[in-house]
Amino acid sequence: MVQRETWATRTGFILAAVGSAVGLGNIWRFPFVTGEGGGAAFLFVYLLFVALIGFPAILAEFVIGRKTDRNPVGALVKYGGSTWKYVGGMFIVTGFVILSFYSVVAGWFIRYFLEGLRGSYASRVEVYGGDTAAMFGELSTGLDAFVLHTLFIILTVGIVALGIRRGIELAVKVMVPSLIVLLGGLAIWAFTLPGGSDGYAYYLSPEFNVIAANWMTLLPDAAGQAFFTLSLGMGVMITYASYLGEDRNLATDGITIIGFDTGIAFLTGLAVFPIFFAAGIEPGEGGAGEIFVSMTEAFATISGGHVLGILFFGTVVIAALSSSISLLEVVTSYVIDEKGVERWKAAAGMGAVIYLLGVPVTYDLVFLDLLDGFADGVLLVLGAFLMMILVGWIAPQAAVDELEKGIGDLGSIGQLWIWVLRIPILVVLAISLYLGVVGYVEFLSTDFAGWLGENL
Ligand code: PHE
């Protein structure tokens, strides 16, 4: 049995966990899902979800991981018994599905970074007739997207195969402050745009009758986005906490991770929505291309936009890498622990399969919806639901005892945590899951079936 690694430094865990959470979920997915959900209505439900469900749920993953010292499959079995291996197996599948499309999207960010190296964003947009949406349409599929997907998977596999933790910790230390400064600067610039101020009303002032009328889509979408952006529901936080010593205060670590993650997503919205309104673009129209369209609008007009754009897209690529390695780490640690395969072989083998699964996305974006909808609408919510059952109902006392290590006696707060998991959270997750499944089946039977009908 190989000696299990632990974090190289005291801050290693928190840096890696923040690195996993902060990624394309914040910069790419958050703005377009918010746009599709009507802006402030979505933001409101999402923030509630993160605070009331994300926080208790991240603690649940932490205690399972730290208590068992295992990859997610081994951890669930050790924590709950052998039938839980199927749930662990589902986590591995989720990792496969998410990383497959994640890599293609990360490839788009590499592409926009490279566009900036070729010339100013203004001049690059001219190549596509001055239309940023047309530019995204051209760049998002085809041979170039395929090549960059390949490159991104190779980078991810390389880092995981070498197990270079230190390098990752350093990258996150640079990436997170850079993102905050860049997005903050963009948000301030966006504030000065004529016509942009409508973006704030759209993004920040929820109408409660709109929420009430649309809760059946807002709830599952907020659930999917919350779990995706926090890297919850598939065992990343189990895996990272499994390398952890008993002296860490898991509650404050959880708050730190959620704080950075939510703050960066919020800041992205503060930049994106005023830019949309100033440019006269309807949010929610652009789908997966929103961040690219809004940011190239910005970088093409802003003075110094050329350099800023290169920095922005480059930083997001680093953010994507510190997330993608966590996805591959789950899959790899499972193969290493349970099958005794060497690290580099496990990483390369799994990476190859994931890569193939992502290839269709570079051909047509309908496959992005196919994979993303399944992962976020169904798998992550189901994974979190089952984990809440495990911690809330099957082994609650072990969870409270574990949480108390590094914090001290929690008294009735520990019981409160368990009861929140047991009933309210399980009920909300069950409803979210039901609605998510219904929504996904509808996608399959309408949009996807339609696509198949036209193309086969
Ligand atoms: N949280 C990551 C992001 O926001 C994506 C991710 C999801 C990573 C699930 C790991 C597990 O980009």
Side-chain angles (χ1 to χ4, degrees):
M1 177 96 194
V2 207
Q3 171 74 39
R4 259 184 100 71
E5 300 153 75
T6 50
W7 296 105
T9 58
R10 261 197 74 78
T11 47
F13 163 69
I14 197 90
L15 285 170
V18 169
S20 169
V22 173
L24 303 181
N26 311 62
I27 312 286
W28 161 73
R29 202 171 187 281
F30 173 77
F32 88 79
V33 180
T34 304
E36 286 170 355
F42 179 86
L43 180 69
F44 183 81
V45 180
Y46 162 76
L47 289 178
L48 270 185
F49 206 99
V50 166
L52 300 179
I53 298 183
F55 180 58
I58 205 170
L59 293 182
E61 286 204 30
F62 283 165
V63 296
I64 296 175
R66 192 173 66 176
K67 186 163 178 56
T68 57
D69 282 344
R70 294 270 197 294
N71 72 86
V73 182
L76 292 187
V77 168
K78 188 168 168 192
Y79 198 89
S82 63
T83 40
W84 286 86
K85 69 170 180 264
Y86 300 106
V87 178
M90 187 182 90
F91 289 177
I92 307 299
V93 171
T94 311
F96 266 76
V97 175
I98 294 183
L99 185 52
S100 70
F101 70 79
Y102 204 86
S103 169
V104 178
V105 177
W108 298 342
F109 280 93
I110 301 179
R111 179 59 195 260
Y112 274 77
F113 170 78
L114 295 175
E115 288 292 312
L117 296 184
R118 290 172 78 175
S120 70
Y121 287 95
S123 68
R124 297 309 302 161
V125 176
E126 280 317 308
V127 176
Y128 302 92
D131 183 343
T132 50
M135 178 176 175
F136 175 76
E138 280 285 314
L139 299 187
S140 55
T141 51
L143 183 62
D144 295 3
F146 169 78
V147 170
L148 293 171
H149 165 53
T150 314
L151 175 69
F152 189 81
I153 281 282
I154 291 174
L155 286 173
T156 304
V157 167
I159 297 174
V160 172
L162 295 172
I164 31 179
R165 284 259 160 65
R166 291 250 171 173
I168 296 156
E169 294 170 17
L170 188 72
V172 173
K173 267 190 198 158
V174 179
M175 175 275 282
V176 169
S178 312
L179 266 186
I180 294 175
V181 171
L182 284 165
L183 289 167
L186 283 162
I188 293 171
W189 175 77
F191 179 74
T192 65
L193 291 175
S197 59
D198 288 346
Y200 298 112
Y202 172 83
Y203 182 44
L204 299 174
S205 84
E207 287 171 32
F208 291 95
N209 55 339
V210 175
I211 296 178
N214 296 303
W215 73 273
M216 288 177 77
T217 52
L218 289 173
L219 183 67
D221 291 350
Q225 174 61 18
F227 289 131
F228 183 81
T229 189
L230 294 171
S231 305
L232 287 180
M234 57 147 292
V236 166
M237 295 300 170
I238 294 181
T239 309
Y240 276 10
S242 76
Y243 302 119
L244 200 59
E246 291 190 338
D247 56 336
R248 290 294 299 201
N249 180 330
L250 297 177
T252 49
D253 284 355
I255 292 173
T256 310
I257 296 163
I258 292 179
F260 275 113
D261 189 72
T262 311
I264 289 175
F266 182 70
L267 212 49
T268 307
L270 277 186
V272 165
F273 292 111
I275 293 173
F276 268 135
F277 278 82
I281 307 170
E282 182 80 27
E285 296 281 276
E290 296 220 329
I291 187 71
F292 299 97
V293 170
S294 57
M295 288 301 146
T296 30
E297 292 282 344
F299 298 135
T301 32
I302 209 167
S303 69
H306 190 188
V307 178
L308 277 180
I310 294 173
L311 284 175
F312 174 77
F313 291 118
T315 312
V316 178
V317 173
I318 297 174
L321 264 178
S322 66
S323 302
S324 65
I325 56 173
S326 73
L327 287 157
L328 189 60
E329 180 66 31
V330 167
V331 178
T332 305
S333 70
Y334 161 70
V335 180
I336 297 173
D337 285 1
E338 308 288 318
K339 311 277 175 212
V341 177
E342 278 172 75
R343 174 166 276 272
W344 76 267
K345 283 187 189 155
M350 298 296 108
V353 181
I354 291 167
Y355 167 71
L356 292 177
L357 191 61
V359 167
V361 180
T362 67
Y363 175 69
D364 193 304
L365 294 191
V366 77
F367 292 100
L368 177 65
D369 294 333
L370 185 72
L371 295 166
D372 182 29
F374 185 48
D376 298 315
V378 181
L379 290 174
L380 291 180
V381 187
L382 177 60
F385 176 79
L386 295 168
M387 250 181 305
M388 298 304 109
I389 293 182
L390 179 59
V391 170
W393 289 102
I394 306 210
Q397 197 51 49
V400 175
D401 292 346
E402 185 63 37
L403 187 60
E404 286 180 338
K405 292 178 188 159
I407 303 184
D409 188 10
L410 285 169
S412 51
I413 297 180
Q415 294 311 312
L416 176 69
W417 173 52
I418 295 299
W419 278 101
V420 169
L421 295 181
R422 277 190 175 169
I423 300 180
I425 294 188
L426 271 180
V427 170
V428 175
L429 291 184
I431 300 171
S432 306
L433 180 61
Y434 170 74
L435 294 170
V437 170
V438 170
Y440 190 62
V441 169
E442 195 182 298
F443 159 78
L444 289 180
S445 57
T446 53
D447 294 10
F448 191 63
W451 184 89
L452 288 177
E454 276 168 32
N455 289 277
L456 293 185

